[in-house]
Every structure is written in structure tokens, then in C-alpha cells.
Amino acid sequence: MMNILKDLFIRLLSKFNLHVIKLPTNISIGKITQNANEFLATSLYIKQLVSIFYIQKRFHEIYKLVDLLIPADYQYLHINWIKNYSSGRGSLDIYRVVKKNNSVLFLKYYFKDSMELSRSLYFSENLFEKINYFIPTSKLIQTRNSELISELGFEFINSSEKICANDVKEFIIYIIITLNKNFKLNSINKSVNIPKYLLNYKSHFEYKRSKTEIIERFSEKDIKNVIDFFESKINPYNYVLSHGDLHTGNIINKILIDWDNFGYYPLGFDAAFATWKFNIKFESKKTVMAFKETNFLKNISTNEKDEFNRNFILFILVFTRNNFEWMSKFLLEKMEEIKKVK
């Protein structure tokens, strides 16, 4: 019976595009039995366990698991776990701050085969110096690995300085404008071999999740056809380096952190994501268009403005799950205009 249940469990995981890792048999987490622990899905399933521990106020149990898989460096002093839970996939969303050799490190844990880990390492090895020249960002100091998870140690940024919300918003807008201006894909030396996963905006965690939801929710409106049409019009030569997760929580003392979801994405991707996170009044087309014009469009070259407009509204449509009818109506009208020109 146990084997049948395990088989059903694994099939259920595969349905949600999750893979399975096998943990050592001596691991036991709280009241969850050893047999139930033998197979755990990466990302979502473990993070569901984390959320359970939050409800039960048993943070220490999941930390014990991490300590077992990747024991603390003997040089670490004053170890403090940071309690957190968010919606990423490859990162465990488990952090701790340690002192080592008179330096303070912020430690972040990832599943070893996760895309988030690959992105973060690629950024640190290939882009950190170039980006940091324009945009202050946290530096990767060290990496440690175990069979299942990896530990990345970043320079710790003290968040004691208070910055008003408007200043943070202006800094995020500055980031988007700076990336659009200085880090276009078509300006990169052709000899540079960029991994394909960095060019696939459709695999972005929020875009993929929101797109699936909106297509299911509005199947009667054939929203999939609209999204597919405008995705087909996106110009891959106009991709720009995008942070992929621009919101106030990733800004500390005007330093940008967390490049786990970065990539070379279409023009307008970061602008739409940040606008969605700003929670402006999406119910008003006038408000959204004015915000776009004031903060982004004036910095886009004339020959790219039409594409920026189309992409921006497409991504806003997806990120907001089409909660505002004017967006889909706007894109339908634009789609008919484009078809007539042909």
C-alpha cells in the first residue's frame, strides 16, 4: 500500500511539473513521519511544509533539515536564521546572517539543480561588475554545496536606513531605464554565449503562473489567442537585461538585491512587472497610460515606442490576471489594427 501511495504522490508531482528528490532515510521533521519524508518535491512541496511550520510556529524544524543537508561552516559565528516565506521556486526562501572573518554574510539556500541558482551564479560570475557600475547591487562572496542544496553567501546589507516609498519607486524606475539604455541584447558581442534559459521569458515564474491562470479563467473570451498573437509579435532582438522581480522588497538602502529571476526579456517586461507591484489604479486606462508615459515611454527611442506599448499592456494584462477588462479590449483592438495593415 505504501508503494502505491508513493507512486500516486510522484505522479501528482509530475502533473505540476515538479521533480522529486530523495532525502536520507534518517531525516525526521517534527510530527511528519519518516516514510512521508522519503520523497519530497523540490520547491513547492517543501515550501508548503515551511508554510505549515509557520502556522504551527515551528520554524526550527525546517532549519534542522537544512543544517543536516549542509552543516554550518565552522568559521560561522553568531548565526541568526531569518524567518521568511515567499513565492519563488528554486530558492528555499530560508536565510541566515552570519559573521565570518570580521565580515557579515547573508546566506541564501537553493535547490542545487534549480534555475534560480543557475541564474544567480551566472549573474555573479558574468554581469555583477558591469551592473554594479550603474546600479549598486549585492555581491556574492562565497558558495558552498551539498548533494541536494547550495548555500550562497552575499555581502550583508544593513537595512537600518529608512527610505521613503516614493524614493524607492523612483529608484526602481531608474533601474528599468538604466537597463533599457545600457544592456540591450543586440549590443552584446556575438561571441558571448548566453544560456538559452536566460532568453526564455515564458519560463519566468510569475509570467508562467499568471498566464496559466488567466487562460483558464477566461477561456470563453479566448484570451489565449490574444496572448499568443502578441507574443508572436515580440521582437527577440529588442530583448533587454531584466531583473525579473522588481519590487520594494528587493531594494535595501537603494541597493538592488535578488537576481534569481533575471534574464534577457522583451522590452517592457520589467516596466510592467514593477508597475503591477506598485499597485497603481489599474481599473483606469487613463491612469495606467499616464504612468507609463511619464515614467518609461519618454525614455524609449521613437522606433521602439509601439513595441514597448504593446508589450507593456500584454504583460500588465497577464500579471494582473486580466482583472480589468479595458486591457483585453485594448489588445483586441490593436490586434485587429495589426491584421488590417497586413
Side-chain angles (χ1 to χ4, degrees):
M1 175 62 72
M2 183 58 68
N3 289 331
I4 294 175
L5 290 175
K6 286 180 183 178
D7 182 59
L8 289 173
F9 177 62
I10 293 171
R11 290 185 182 184
L12 178 64
L13 296 174
S14 63
K15 181 179 179 181
F16 292 98
N17 198 28
L18 297 172
H19 58 288
V20 176
I21 57 175
K22 188 170 184 178
L23 298 175
T25 55
N26 63 335
I27 288 181
S28 180
I29 307 177
K31 293 182 180 180
I32 302 174
T33 66
Q34 182 172 316
N35 287 332
N37 276 310
E38 189 172 352
F39 291 92
L40 293 177
T42 59
S43 189
L44 182 60
Y45 186 64
I46 283 185
K47 293 171 93 171
Q48 284 177 337
L49 293 180
V50 175
S51 67
I52 291 172
F53 294 138
Y54 268 68
I55 294 170
Q56 297 177 341
K57 296 182 179 180
R58 298 181 63 187
F59 304 94
H60 64 286
E61 299 294 352
I62 196 70
Y63 299 152
K64 284 181 180 178
L65 172 60
V66 173
D67 268 332
L68 182 62
L69 296 176
I70 185 165
D73 188 317
Y74 74 95
Q75 297 183 67
Y76 290 169
L77 301 173
H78 308 296
I79 300 175
N80 294 310
W81 288 104
I82 299 176
K83 302 167 185 177
N84 185 65
Y85 180 76
S86 64
S87 58
R89 295 188 63 120
S91 166
L92 278 72
D93 290 312
I94 296 174
Y95 316 100
R96 54 183 171 183
V97 177
V98 302
K99 186 175 181 181
K100 179 182 179 182
N101 300 330
N102 296 319
S103 297
V104 181
L105 299 179
F106 178 83
L107 306 181
K108 188 172 181 179
Y109 296 87
Y110 299 78
F111 293 104
K112 195 173 179 181
D113 59 351
S114 69
M115 196 62 68
E116 285 81 356
L117 176 62
S118 297
R119 292 177 190 274
S120 189
L121 290 175
Y122 183 93
F123 175 83
S124 297
E125 294 168 4
N126 299 278
L127 292 166
F128 170 79
E129 295 294 342
K130 297 175 184 177
I131 294 292
N132 199 50
Y133 178 81
F134 295 95
I135 304 166
T137 189
S138 56
K139 184 178 183 179
L140 177 64
I141 305 298
Q142 68 172 36
T143 302
R144 295 198 310 142
N145 297 300
S146 71
E147 184 180 351
L148 297 175
I149 62 176
S150 293
E151 175 192 270
L152 299 192
F154 297 89
E155 59 180 341
F156 177 71
I157 302 169
N158 193 324
S159 59
S160 59
E161 182 181 341
K162 301 297 182 183
I163 302 176
C164 72
N166 194 53
D167 284 345
V168 173
K169 181 183 290 187
E170 288 182 1
F171 182 56
I172 290 176
I173 292 169
Y174 161 78
I175 290 169
I176 295 167
I177 293 170
T178 301
L179 292 176
N180 285 346
K181 181 179 178 181
N182 299 285
F183 295 93
K184 289 195 174 186
L185 183 61
N186 58 21
S187 66
I188 296 176
N189 190 316
K190 292 183 179 180
S191 63
V192 177
N193 185 23
I194 299 175
K196 289 184 178 180
Y197 63 81
L198 291 180
L199 303 172
N200 185 11
Y201 72 92
K202 294 179 183 179
S203 67
H204 181 275
F205 79 101
E206 188 60 58
Y207 186 76
K208 185 176 180 180
R209 176 171 58 187
S210 299
K211 179 180 172 180
T212 299
E213 181 178 328
I214 191 176
I215 289 173
E216 289 177 352
R217 284 177 58 194
F218 300 97
S219 57
E220 74 282 358
K221 294 184 179 180
D222 198 17
I223 201 73
K224 182 179 184 303
N225 183 49
V226 176
I227 293 174
D228 288 346
F229 178 84
F230 282 98
E231 284 183 343
S232 71
K233 297 301 175 183
I234 290 174
N235 183 359
Y237 295 103
N238 273 345
Y239 280 15
V240 298
L241 184 66
S242 306
H243 179 270
D245 196 14
L246 284 174
H247 60 84
T248 56
N250 279 333
I251 306 295
I252 304 176
N253 297 352
K254 287 199 173 180
I255 297 175
L256 178 59
I257 65 171
D258 191 4
W259 290 83
D260 291 0
N261 296 287
F262 99 95
Y264 290 91
Y265 300 144
L267 191 67
F269 188 95
D270 260 356
F273 186 95
T275 301
W276 169 56
K277 287 293 187 177
F278 288 152
N279 292 316
I280 66 169
K281 296 180 179 179
F282 293 109
E283 65 271 16
S284 168
K285 177 181 177 181
K286 185 177 180 180
T287 301
V288 175
M289 294 303 192
F291 185 86
K292 172 174 61 68
E293 179 70 39
T294 302
N295 295 290
F296 303 118
L297 203 59
K298 64 182 180 181
N299 296 289
I300 301 297
S301 62
T302 302
N303 63 327
E304 293 178 337
K305 285 187 176 181
D306 284 345
E307 181 179 4
F308 182 90
N309 278 324
R310 292 198 311 268
N311 293 353
F312 181 88
I313 298 299
L314 168 65
F315 295 134
I316 283 287
L317 173 88
V318 173
F319 291 140
T320 60
R321 279 78 162 178
N322 197 33
N323 286 329
F324 306 98
E325 189 174 343
W326 69 263
M327 295 181 193
S328 53
K329 185 178 179 181
F330 175 88
L331 287 176
L332 280 168
E333 291 171 353
K334 294 294 291 185
M335 184 167 69
E336 292 306 316
E337 288 178 16
I338 294 171
K339 286 181 177 179
K340 285 180 180 179
V341 171
K342 285 191 171 182

